[in-house]
Amino acid sequence: IVLAAAAIATTVARFARPADVAAVTRWAAVGILIPLVWLTWRDSHAYADKDTLYRTTLARNADSWLAHNNLAALLLEQQPPNATDALSHARDAVRLAPDQPSTHFNLGLALEASGDAAGAIEEYRRTLERTSEAERKSARVALVHDRLATVLRAAGRLEESAAEAEGIKPSLHPG
């Protein structure tokens, strides 16, 4: 836009009479603004809400792991959670970005919501395996430990659950 505006301004200054410069500049501005306003209006629906944004992104780029991951999380936040659709998107996110801890965490949440405790436990552990040393003391990692402890407790694996819960304390209260 800046390059086009500079080219128009240079051309007008070089070839137009000084009295016509203002009129030509106004018409050039209108000629540039009308298409920009139309393009903005045409694409603004894609930003209506998070669900629409992620689905529009996936319609334009089906291999966006981040859009799959964020949509899975959003679907799990709904009341009631849409576990089936979330599970599909979480699996796609893991397929596209297997080294990202957040993709495994969301897959674990989706599996947990779907009633697959064993799968959720496995994904929560994969999340922790892929977490960097710098992130290990974060509240987000403490949430992974908490979910893992909860699923282990629900599966009757009380000793593992207690050990996992103990691992949460240093993360929540460092030092």
Side-chain angles (χ1 to χ4, degrees), residues 1-67:
I1 293 172
V2 171
L3 185 59
I8 291 168
T10 302
T11 303
V12 168
R14 180 172 288 158
F15 297 108
R17 295 181 308 212
D20 296 335
V21 171
V24 171
T25 304
R26 271 188 242 126
W27 283 109
V30 168
I32 292 171
L33 287 176
I34 288 176
L36 291 176
V37 168
W38 178 77
L39 288 170
T40 301
W41 174 81
R42 185 193 71 180
D43 289 343
S44 64
H45 72 280
Y47 305 98
D49 55 44
K50 289 179 183 179
D51 186 82
T52 304
L53 173 63
Y54 300 142
R55 291 183 190 278
T56 301
T57 301
L58 290 172
R60 294 176 182 172
N61 178 10
D63 289 337
S64 172
W65 73 266
L66 188 58

Short mmCIF file of all heavy atoms in Angstrom, two decimals, residues 1-67:
data_model
loop_
_atom_site.label_atom_id
_atom_site.label_comp_id
_atom_site.label_asym_id
_atom_site.label_seq_id
_atom_site.Cartn_x
_atom_site.Cartn_y
_atom_site.Cartn_z
N ILE A 1 0.84 -1.19 0.00
CA ILE A 1 0.00 0.00 0.00
C ILE A 1 0.88 1.26 0.00
O ILE A 1 0.62 2.20 -0.75
CB ILE A 1 -0.96 -0.01 1.21
CG1 ILE A 1 -1.98 -1.13 1.06
CG2 ILE A 1 -1.66 1.34 1.34
CD1 ILE A 1 -2.84 -1.34 2.26
N VAL A 2 1.92 1.25 0.82
CA VAL A 2 2.80 2.41 0.89
C VAL A 2 3.50 2.62 -0.46
O VAL A 2 3.59 3.76 -0.95
CB VAL A 2 3.85 2.25 2.02
CG1 VAL A 2 4.90 3.32 1.95
CG2 VAL A 2 3.16 2.24 3.37
N LEU A 3 3.94 1.54 -1.07
CA LEU A 3 4.61 1.64 -2.37
C LEU A 3 3.65 2.19 -3.43
O LEU A 3 4.01 3.08 -4.21
CB LEU A 3 5.16 0.28 -2.79
CG LEU A 3 5.98 0.24 -4.07
CD1 LEU A 3 7.19 1.16 -3.96
CD2 LEU A 3 6.43 -1.19 -4.36
N ALA A 4 2.42 1.69 -3.44
CA ALA A 4 1.42 2.18 -4.40
C ALA A 4 1.12 3.66 -4.15
O ALA A 4 1.01 4.45 -5.09
CB ALA A 4 0.15 1.35 -4.31
N ALA A 5 0.96 4.04 -2.90
CA ALA A 5 0.67 5.44 -2.57
C ALA A 5 1.82 6.35 -3.00
O ALA A 5 1.60 7.44 -3.55
CB ALA A 5 0.41 5.58 -1.08
N ALA A 6 3.06 5.89 -2.78
CA ALA A 6 4.22 6.69 -3.19
C ALA A 6 4.27 6.83 -4.71
O ALA A 6 4.56 7.92 -5.23
CB ALA A 6 5.50 6.06 -2.66
N ALA A 7 3.97 5.76 -5.43
CA ALA A 7 3.97 5.81 -6.89
C ALA A 7 2.90 6.76 -7.41
O ALA A 7 3.15 7.56 -8.32
CB ALA A 7 3.77 4.41 -7.46
N ILE A 8 1.72 6.70 -6.82
CA ILE A 8 0.64 7.59 -7.23
C ILE A 8 1.00 9.04 -6.93
O ILE A 8 0.83 9.93 -7.76
CB ILE A 8 -0.69 7.19 -6.55
CG1 ILE A 8 -1.17 5.86 -7.11
CG2 ILE A 8 -1.75 8.27 -6.73
CD1 ILE A 8 -2.30 5.23 -6.33
N ALA A 9 1.52 9.30 -5.75
CA ALA A 9 1.87 10.67 -5.36
C ALA A 9 2.96 11.23 -6.27
O ALA A 9 2.89 12.39 -6.70
CB ALA A 9 2.34 10.71 -3.91
N THR A 10 3.94 10.41 -6.61
CA THR A 10 5.02 10.86 -7.50
C THR A 10 4.48 11.15 -8.90
O THR A 10 4.82 12.18 -9.50
CB THR A 10 6.13 9.78 -7.57
OG1 THR A 10 6.60 9.55 -6.25
CG2 THR A 10 7.27 10.22 -8.45
N THR A 11 3.63 10.28 -9.39
CA THR A 11 3.05 10.46 -10.73
C THR A 11 2.18 11.72 -10.77
O THR A 11 2.26 12.52 -11.70
CB THR A 11 2.23 9.23 -11.13
OG1 THR A 11 3.08 8.08 -11.07
CG2 THR A 11 1.67 9.37 -12.53
N VAL A 12 1.35 11.89 -9.77
CA VAL A 12 0.47 13.06 -9.72
C VAL A 12 1.30 14.33 -9.63
O VAL A 12 1.04 15.32 -10.34
CB VAL A 12 -0.52 12.95 -8.53
CG1 VAL A 12 -1.23 14.27 -8.29
CG2 VAL A 12 -1.52 11.85 -8.79
N ALA A 13 2.32 14.34 -8.78
CA ALA A 13 3.15 15.54 -8.62
C ALA A 13 3.90 15.88 -9.91
O ALA A 13 4.10 17.05 -10.22
CB ALA A 13 4.14 15.34 -7.48
N ARG A 14 4.25 14.88 -10.65
CA ARG A 14 5.03 15.10 -11.86
C ARG A 14 4.16 15.57 -13.04
O ARG A 14 4.58 16.43 -13.82
CB ARG A 14 5.77 13.83 -12.25
CG ARG A 14 6.62 14.00 -13.52
CD ARG A 14 7.49 12.81 -13.79
NE ARG A 14 8.57 12.82 -12.80
CZ ARG A 14 9.28 11.75 -12.46
NH1 ARG A 14 9.03 10.60 -12.99
NH2 ARG A 14 10.22 11.85 -11.56
N PHE A 15 2.95 15.00 -13.18
CA PHE A 15 2.16 15.26 -14.39
C PHE A 15 0.92 16.13 -14.19
O PHE A 15 0.40 16.66 -15.17
CB PHE A 15 1.74 13.93 -15.03
CG PHE A 15 2.91 13.12 -15.48
CD1 PHE A 15 3.27 11.96 -14.81
CD2 PHE A 15 3.68 13.53 -16.56
CE1 PHE A 15 4.36 11.21 -15.22
CE2 PHE A 15 4.77 12.77 -16.98
CZ PHE A 15 5.11 11.60 -16.31
N ALA A 16 0.43 16.28 -12.99
CA ALA A 16 -0.80 17.06 -12.79
C ALA A 16 -0.46 18.52 -12.51
O ALA A 16 0.60 18.85 -11.98
CB ALA A 16 -1.58 16.48 -11.61
N ARG A 17 -1.42 19.35 -12.86
CA ARG A 17 -1.28 20.76 -12.52
C ARG A 17 -1.49 20.92 -11.03
O ARG A 17 -2.25 20.17 -10.42
CB ARG A 17 -2.33 21.59 -13.27
CG ARG A 17 -2.12 21.57 -14.78
CD ARG A 17 -3.15 22.42 -15.45
NE ARG A 17 -4.48 22.01 -14.99
CZ ARG A 17 -5.57 22.06 -15.72
NH1 ARG A 17 -5.53 22.56 -16.92
NH2 ARG A 17 -6.71 21.68 -15.26
N PRO A 18 -0.84 21.90 -10.41
CA PRO A 18 -0.96 22.07 -8.96
C PRO A 18 -2.41 22.19 -8.50
O PRO A 18 -2.77 21.69 -7.43
CB PRO A 18 -0.19 23.36 -8.68
CG PRO A 18 0.80 23.44 -9.79
CD PRO A 18 0.13 22.81 -10.99
N ALA A 19 -3.28 22.77 -9.26
CA ALA A 19 -4.68 22.93 -8.87
C ALA A 19 -5.41 21.58 -8.88
O ALA A 19 -6.38 21.39 -8.15
CB ALA A 19 -5.37 23.91 -9.80
N ASP A 20 -4.95 20.64 -9.68
CA ASP A 20 -5.62 19.34 -9.79
C ASP A 20 -5.09 18.29 -8.81
O ASP A 20 -5.68 17.24 -8.66
CB ASP A 20 -5.44 18.81 -11.22
CG ASP A 20 -6.12 19.68 -12.25
OD1 ASP A 20 -7.08 20.39 -11.88
OD2 ASP A 20 -5.68 19.64 -13.42
N VAL A 21 -3.98 18.59 -8.17
CA VAL A 21 -3.34 17.61 -7.28
C VAL A 21 -4.29 17.17 -6.17
O VAL A 21 -4.42 15.97 -5.90
CB VAL A 21 -2.02 18.16 -6.71
CG1 VAL A 21 -1.47 17.23 -5.62
CG2 VAL A 21 -1.00 18.33 -7.82
N ALA A 22 -4.97 18.07 -5.53
CA ALA A 22 -5.86 17.72 -4.41
C ALA A 22 -6.99 16.82 -4.89
O ALA A 22 -7.32 15.82 -4.23
CB ALA A 22 -6.42 18.98 -3.75
N ALA A 23 -7.60 17.13 -6.02
CA ALA A 23 -8.71 16.32 -6.53
C ALA A 23 -8.23 14.93 -6.93
O ALA A 23 -8.88 13.92 -6.61
CB ALA A 23 -9.36 17.02 -7.72
N VAL A 24 -7.10 14.86 -7.60
CA VAL A 24 -6.56 13.56 -8.01
C VAL A 24 -6.20 12.73 -6.78
O VAL A 24 -6.46 11.52 -6.73
CB VAL A 24 -5.34 13.76 -8.94
CG1 VAL A 24 -4.64 12.44 -9.21
CG2 VAL A 24 -5.76 14.41 -10.24
N THR A 25 -5.63 13.36 -5.78
CA THR A 25 -5.25 12.65 -4.55
C THR A 25 -6.49 12.09 -3.85
O THR A 25 -6.48 10.95 -3.38
CB THR A 25 -4.48 13.59 -3.60
OG1 THR A 25 -3.34 14.10 -4.29
CG2 THR A 25 -4.02 12.86 -2.36
N ARG A 26 -7.57 12.88 -3.78
CA ARG A 26 -8.81 12.39 -3.16
C ARG A 26 -9.35 11.18 -3.90
O ARG A 26 -9.74 10.20 -3.29
CB ARG A 26 -9.85 13.51 -3.12
CG ARG A 26 -9.75 14.33 -1.88
CD ARG A 26 -10.90 15.31 -1.75
NE ARG A 26 -10.25 16.61 -1.77
CZ ARG A 26 -10.52 17.60 -2.59
NH1 ARG A 26 -11.48 17.51 -3.44
NH2 ARG A 26 -9.84 18.72 -2.53
N TRP A 27 -9.40 11.26 -5.24
CA TRP A 27 -9.93 10.15 -6.03
C TRP A 27 -9.04 8.92 -5.92
O TRP A 27 -9.53 7.79 -5.87
CB TRP A 27 -10.14 10.55 -7.49
CG TRP A 27 -11.37 11.39 -7.64
CD1 TRP A 27 -11.43 12.71 -7.91
CD2 TRP A 27 -12.71 10.95 -7.46
NE1 TRP A 27 -12.74 13.14 -7.93
CE2 TRP A 27 -13.56 12.06 -7.65
CE3 TRP A 27 -13.31 9.72 -7.15
CZ2 TRP A 27 -14.94 11.99 -7.56
CZ3 TRP A 27 -14.69 9.65 -7.07
CH2 TRP A 27 -15.49 10.78 -7.26
N ALA A 28 -7.75 9.12 -5.85
CA ALA A 28 -6.82 7.99 -5.68
C ALA A 28 -7.06 7.34 -4.32
O ALA A 28 -7.08 6.10 -4.20
CB ALA A 28 -5.38 8.46 -5.80
N ALA A 29 -7.26 8.14 -3.28
CA ALA A 29 -7.53 7.60 -1.93
C ALA A 29 -8.82 6.79 -1.93
O ALA A 29 -8.89 5.70 -1.37
CB ALA A 29 -7.60 8.73 -0.91
N VAL A 30 -9.85 7.32 -2.57
CA VAL A 30 -11.13 6.60 -2.66
C VAL A 30 -10.93 5.30 -3.44
O VAL A 30 -11.44 4.25 -3.05
CB VAL A 30 -12.22 7.49 -3.32
CG1 VAL A 30 -13.44 6.67 -3.68
CG2 VAL A 30 -12.58 8.63 -2.39
N GLY A 31 -10.17 5.38 -4.53
CA GLY A 31 -9.91 4.19 -5.34
C GLY A 31 -9.16 3.10 -4.59
O GLY A 31 -9.31 1.93 -4.88
N ILE A 32 -8.34 3.51 -3.65
CA ILE A 32 -7.60 2.54 -2.84
C ILE A 32 -8.44 2.06 -1.66
O ILE A 32 -8.46 0.88 -1.32
CB ILE A 32 -6.27 3.15 -2.34
CG1 ILE A 32 -5.32 3.37 -3.52
CG2 ILE A 32 -5.62 2.27 -1.28
CD1 ILE A 32 -4.09 4.16 -3.17
N LEU A 33 -9.17 2.96 -1.01
CA LEU A 33 -9.92 2.60 0.19
C LEU A 33 -11.12 1.70 -0.09
O LEU A 33 -11.41 0.81 0.71
CB LEU A 33 -10.37 3.86 0.93
CG LEU A 33 -9.26 4.61 1.65
CD1 LEU A 33 -9.78 5.90 2.27
CD2 LEU A 33 -8.63 3.73 2.72
N ILE A 34 -11.81 1.92 -1.18
CA ILE A 34 -13.01 1.10 -1.47
C ILE A 34 -12.67 -0.39 -1.54
O ILE A 34 -13.32 -1.19 -0.87
CB ILE A 34 -13.74 1.61 -2.71
CG1 ILE A 34 -14.44 2.93 -2.36
CG2 ILE A 34 -14.75 0.58 -3.22
CD1 ILE A 34 -15.13 3.61 -3.53
N PRO A 35 -11.65 -0.81 -2.29
CA PRO A 35 -11.32 -2.24 -2.28
C PRO A 35 -10.87 -2.75 -0.91
O PRO A 35 -11.19 -3.87 -0.52
CB PRO A 35 -10.19 -2.37 -3.30
CG PRO A 35 -10.24 -1.14 -4.12
CD PRO A 35 -10.87 -0.08 -3.28
N LEU A 36 -10.14 -1.92 -0.17
CA LEU A 36 -9.70 -2.35 1.16
C LEU A 36 -10.87 -2.53 2.12
O LEU A 36 -10.91 -3.47 2.91
CB LEU A 36 -8.68 -1.36 1.73
CG LEU A 36 -7.32 -1.33 1.02
CD1 LEU A 36 -6.44 -0.24 1.62
CD2 LEU A 36 -6.64 -2.68 1.08
N VAL A 37 -11.84 -1.63 2.05
CA VAL A 37 -13.04 -1.75 2.88
C VAL A 37 -13.80 -3.02 2.50
O VAL A 37 -14.25 -3.78 3.36
CB VAL A 37 -13.94 -0.50 2.76
CG1 VAL A 37 -15.30 -0.73 3.36
CG2 VAL A 37 -13.25 0.70 3.42
N TRP A 38 -13.93 -3.27 1.21
CA TRP A 38 -14.65 -4.46 0.75
C TRP A 38 -13.94 -5.73 1.21
O TRP A 38 -14.60 -6.66 1.70
CB TRP A 38 -14.79 -4.44 -0.78
CG TRP A 38 -15.48 -5.67 -1.29
CD1 TRP A 38 -16.81 -5.93 -1.25
CD2 TRP A 38 -14.86 -6.82 -1.85
NE1 TRP A 38 -17.06 -7.17 -1.76
CE2 TRP A 38 -15.87 -7.74 -2.15
CE3 TRP A 38 -13.54 -7.16 -2.15
CZ2 TRP A 38 -15.62 -8.98 -2.71
CZ3 TRP A 38 -13.29 -8.39 -2.72
CH2 TRP A 38 -14.31 -9.28 -3.00
N LEU A 39 -12.62 -5.78 1.08
CA LEU A 39 -11.86 -6.96 1.51
C LEU A 39 -11.99 -7.18 3.03
O LEU A 39 -12.14 -8.32 3.48
CB LEU A 39 -10.38 -6.82 1.13
CG LEU A 39 -10.06 -6.95 -0.35
CD1 LEU A 39 -8.61 -6.53 -0.61
CD2 LEU A 39 -10.30 -8.36 -0.84
N THR A 40 -11.96 -6.10 3.77
CA THR A 40 -12.12 -6.20 5.23
C THR A 40 -13.50 -6.74 5.57
O THR A 40 -13.63 -7.65 6.39
CB THR A 40 -11.92 -4.82 5.89
OG1 THR A 40 -10.60 -4.36 5.58
CG2 THR A 40 -12.10 -4.89 7.39
N TRP A 41 -14.53 -6.21 4.94
CA TRP A 41 -15.91 -6.68 5.20
C TRP A 41 -16.05 -8.14 4.81
O TRP A 41 -16.63 -8.94 5.54
CB TRP A 41 -16.91 -5.81 4.42
CG TRP A 41 -18.29 -6.33 4.54
CD1 TRP A 41 -19.16 -6.14 5.57
CD2 TRP A 41 -18.97 -7.16 3.59
NE1 TRP A 41 -20.34 -6.80 5.33
CE2 TRP A 41 -20.24 -7.44 4.10
CE3 TRP A 41 -18.62 -7.70 2.35
CZ2 TRP A 41 -21.17 -8.22 3.44
CZ3 TRP A 41 -19.53 -8.48 1.69
CH2 TRP A 41 -20.79 -8.74 2.23
N ARG A 42 -15.50 -8.50 3.64
CA ARG A 42 -15.62 -9.88 3.15
C ARG A 42 -14.99 -10.88 4.10
O ARG A 42 -15.52 -11.97 4.32
CB ARG A 42 -14.95 -9.98 1.77
CG ARG A 42 -15.15 -11.36 1.14
CD ARG A 42 -14.26 -11.55 -0.04
NE ARG A 42 -12.89 -11.68 0.46
CZ ARG A 42 -11.84 -11.85 -0.29
NH1 ARG A 42 -11.95 -11.84 -1.59
NH2 ARG A 42 -10.63 -11.98 0.23
N ASP A 43 -13.84 -10.54 4.70
CA ASP A 43 -13.14 -11.49 5.56
C ASP A 43 -13.46 -11.35 7.05
O ASP A 43 -13.04 -12.19 7.85
CB ASP A 43 -11.63 -11.35 5.37
CG ASP A 43 -11.18 -11.88 4.02
OD1 ASP A 43 -11.94 -12.63 3.39
OD2 ASP A 43 -10.06 -11.55 3.60
N SER A 44 -14.19 -10.34 7.44
CA SER A 44 -14.43 -10.09 8.87
C SER A 44 -15.23 -11.21 9.53
O SER A 44 -15.09 -11.44 10.73
CB SER A 44 -15.12 -8.75 9.09
OG SER A 44 -16.40 -8.76 8.50
N HIS A 45 -16.06 -11.93 8.78
CA HIS A 45 -16.84 -13.02 9.38
C HIS A 45 -15.94 -14.09 9.99
O HIS A 45 -16.32 -14.78 10.92
CB HIS A 45 -17.76 -13.65 8.34
CG HIS A 45 -17.01 -14.47 7.33
ND1 HIS A 45 -16.34 -13.91 6.27
CD2 HIS A 45 -16.79 -15.81 7.27
CE1 HIS A 45 -15.75 -14.87 5.57
NE2 HIS A 45 -16.00 -16.04 6.15
N ALA A 46 -14.73 -14.24 9.45
CA ALA A 46 -13.81 -15.27 9.95
C ALA A 46 -13.36 -15.01 11.38
O ALA A 46 -12.88 -15.91 12.05
CB ALA A 46 -12.58 -15.36 9.04
N TYR A 47 -13.54 -13.78 11.86
CA TYR A 47 -13.10 -13.41 13.20
C TYR A 47 -14.27 -13.23 14.18
O TYR A 47 -14.11 -12.64 15.23
CB TYR A 47 -12.27 -12.11 13.13
CG TYR A 47 -11.12 -12.22 12.16
CD1 TYR A 47 -11.21 -11.73 10.87
CD2 TYR A 47 -9.96 -12.85 12.54
CE1 TYR A 47 -10.16 -11.85 9.97
CE2 TYR A 47 -8.89 -12.99 11.66
CZ TYR A 47 -9.01 -12.48 10.38
OH TYR A 47 -7.97 -12.61 9.50
N ALA A 48 -15.43 -13.75 13.81
CA ALA A 48 -16.63 -13.57 14.63
C ALA A 48 -16.45 -14.13 16.04
O ALA A 48 -16.86 -13.53 17.02
CB ALA A 48 -17.83 -14.21 13.95
N ASP A 49 -15.84 -15.30 16.14
CA ASP A 49 -15.57 -15.92 17.43
C ASP A 49 -14.44 -16.94 17.23
O ASP A 49 -14.02 -17.18 16.10
CB ASP A 49 -16.82 -16.57 18.03
CG ASP A 49 -17.47 -17.58 17.10
OD1 ASP A 49 -16.74 -18.39 16.49
OD2 ASP A 49 -18.70 -17.56 16.97
N LYS A 50 -13.97 -17.52 18.31
CA LYS A 50 -12.84 -18.43 18.21
C LYS A 50 -13.18 -19.66 17.37
O LYS A 50 -12.35 -20.10 16.56
CB LYS A 50 -12.39 -18.87 19.61
CG LYS A 50 -11.73 -17.79 20.41
CD LYS A 50 -11.35 -18.30 21.79
CE LYS A 50 -10.74 -17.21 22.63
NZ LYS A 50 -10.39 -17.70 23.97
N ASP A 51 -14.35 -20.22 17.56
CA ASP A 51 -14.76 -21.40 16.81
C ASP A 51 -14.70 -21.12 15.31
O ASP A 51 -14.14 -21.89 14.53
CB ASP A 51 -16.16 -21.84 17.23
CG ASP A 51 -16.57 -23.15 16.57
OD1 ASP A 51 -16.17 -24.22 17.07
OD2 ASP A 51 -17.28 -23.08 15.56
N THR A 52 -15.28 -20.01 14.90
CA THR A 52 -15.30 -19.63 13.48
C THR A 52 -13.87 -19.39 12.98
O THR A 52 -13.52 -19.81 11.87
CB THR A 52 -16.15 -18.37 13.27
OG1 THR A 52 -17.46 -18.62 13.79
CG2 THR A 52 -16.27 -18.02 11.80
N LEU A 53 -13.05 -18.72 13.77
CA LEU A 53 -11.68 -18.45 13.37
C LEU A 53 -10.91 -19.74 13.11
O LEU A 53 -10.27 -19.90 12.07
CB LEU A 53 -10.96 -17.63 14.45
CG LEU A 53 -9.46 -17.41 14.21
CD1 LEU A 53 -9.21 -16.60 12.95
CD2 LEU A 53 -8.85 -16.73 15.42
N TYR A 54 -10.98 -20.70 14.05
CA TYR A 54 -10.22 -21.94 13.90
C TYR A 54 -10.76 -22.77 12.73
O TYR A 54 -9.99 -23.34 11.97
CB TYR A 54 -10.24 -22.76 15.20
CG TYR A 54 -9.64 -22.02 16.37
CD1 TYR A 54 -10.18 -22.14 17.64
CD2 TYR A 54 -8.54 -21.19 16.22
CE1 TYR A 54 -9.64 -21.48 18.72
CE2 TYR A 54 -7.98 -20.51 17.29
CZ TYR A 54 -8.54 -20.66 18.53
OH TYR A 54 -8.01 -19.99 19.60
N ARG A 55 -12.08 -22.81 12.58
CA ARG A 55 -12.66 -23.59 11.46
C ARG A 55 -12.34 -22.95 10.11
O ARG A 55 -12.08 -23.65 9.13
CB ARG A 55 -14.15 -23.78 11.67
CG ARG A 55 -14.45 -24.72 12.84
CD ARG A 55 -15.93 -24.99 13.01
NE ARG A 55 -16.21 -25.68 14.24
CZ ARG A 55 -16.10 -27.01 14.42
NH1 ARG A 55 -15.70 -27.77 13.44
NH2 ARG A 55 -16.39 -27.55 15.58
N THR A 56 -12.35 -21.63 10.05
CA THR A 56 -11.97 -20.94 8.81
C THR A 56 -10.50 -21.19 8.50
O THR A 56 -10.14 -21.45 7.34
CB THR A 56 -12.24 -19.42 8.92
OG1 THR A 56 -13.63 -19.22 9.18
CG2 THR A 56 -11.86 -18.70 7.64
N THR A 57 -9.67 -21.13 9.52
CA THR A 57 -8.24 -21.41 9.33
C THR A 57 -8.05 -22.82 8.78
O THR A 57 -7.28 -23.04 7.84
CB THR A 57 -7.47 -21.25 10.65
OG1 THR A 57 -7.64 -19.92 11.12
CG2 THR A 57 -5.99 -21.55 10.48
N LEU A 58 -8.77 -23.79 9.34
CA LEU A 58 -8.64 -25.18 8.88
C LEU A 58 -9.20 -25.37 7.48
O LEU A 58 -8.69 -26.20 6.71
CB LEU A 58 -9.30 -26.13 9.88
CG LEU A 58 -8.56 -26.24 11.21
CD1 LEU A 58 -9.37 -27.03 12.22
CD2 LEU A 58 -7.19 -26.87 11.00
N ALA A 59 -10.23 -24.63 7.13
CA ALA A 59 -10.77 -24.71 5.77
C ALA A 59 -9.74 -24.21 4.76
O ALA A 59 -9.67 -24.71 3.63
CB ALA A 59 -12.06 -23.90 5.66
N ARG A 60 -8.94 -23.24 5.16
CA ARG A 60 -7.92 -22.67 4.27
C ARG A 60 -6.59 -23.40 4.38
O ARG A 60 -5.77 -23.36 3.46
CB ARG A 60 -7.72 -21.20 4.60
CG ARG A 60 -8.95 -20.37 4.28
CD ARG A 60 -8.79 -18.93 4.68
NE ARG A 60 -10.00 -18.17 4.41
CZ ARG A 60 -10.19 -16.93 4.80
NH1 ARG A 60 -9.26 -16.30 5.49
NH2 ARG A 60 -11.32 -16.32 4.52
N ASN A 61 -6.33 -24.06 5.53
CA ASN A 61 -5.07 -24.76 5.76
C ASN A 61 -5.34 -25.94 6.69
O ASN A 61 -5.23 -25.81 7.91
CB ASN A 61 -4.03 -23.82 6.35
CG ASN A 61 -2.72 -24.51 6.64
OD1 ASN A 61 -2.49 -25.65 6.26
ND2 ASN A 61 -1.84 -23.83 7.36
N ALA A 62 -5.69 -27.07 6.11
CA ALA A 62 -6.06 -28.25 6.90
C ALA A 62 -4.89 -28.79 7.72
O ALA A 62 -5.10 -29.57 8.64
CB ALA A 62 -6.60 -29.34 5.98
N ASP A 63 -3.67 -28.38 7.41
CA ASP A 63 -2.50 -28.85 8.13
C ASP A 63 -2.02 -27.89 9.22
O ASP A 63 -0.88 -27.98 9.66
CB ASP A 63 -1.36 -29.12 7.16
CG ASP A 63 -1.62 -30.34 6.29
OD1 ASP A 63 -2.41 -31.21 6.71
OD2 ASP A 63 -1.03 -30.43 5.20
N SER A 64 -2.88 -27.02 9.69
CA SER A 64 -2.52 -26.11 10.77
C SER A 64 -2.68 -26.83 12.11
O SER A 64 -3.79 -26.96 12.63
CB SER A 64 -3.39 -24.85 10.73
OG SER A 64 -3.15 -24.07 11.87
N TRP A 65 -1.56 -27.28 12.66
CA TRP A 65 -1.64 -28.01 13.92
C TRP A 65 -2.17 -27.11 15.03
O TRP A 65 -2.90 -27.56 15.91
CB TRP A 65 -0.28 -28.62 14.30
CG TRP A 65 0.75 -27.63 14.76
CD1 TRP A 65 1.70 -27.02 14.00
CD2 TRP A 65 0.93 -27.12 16.09
NE1 TRP A 65 2.45 -26.17 14.76
CE2 TRP A 65 2.01 -26.21 16.06
CE3 TRP A 65 0.28 -27.35 17.31
CZ2 TRP A 65 2.46 -25.54 17.19
CZ3 TRP A 65 0.74 -26.67 18.44
CH2 TRP A 65 1.81 -25.79 18.37
N LEU A 66 -1.81 -25.84 14.98
CA LEU A 66 -2.23 -24.92 16.03
C LEU A 66 -3.74 -24.72 16.00
O LEU A 66 -4.39 -24.70 17.05
CB LEU A 66 -1.50 -23.59 15.88
CG LEU A 66 -1.68 -22.57 17.00
CD1 LEU A 66 -1.24 -23.16 18.34
CD2 LEU A 66 -0.89 -21.31 16.70
N ALA A 67 -4.33 -24.60 14.82
CA ALA A 67 -5.78 -24.45 14.72
C ALA A 67 -6.49 -25.71 15.21
O ALA A 67 -7.49 -25.64 15.92
CB ALA A 67 -6.20 -24.10 13.29
#
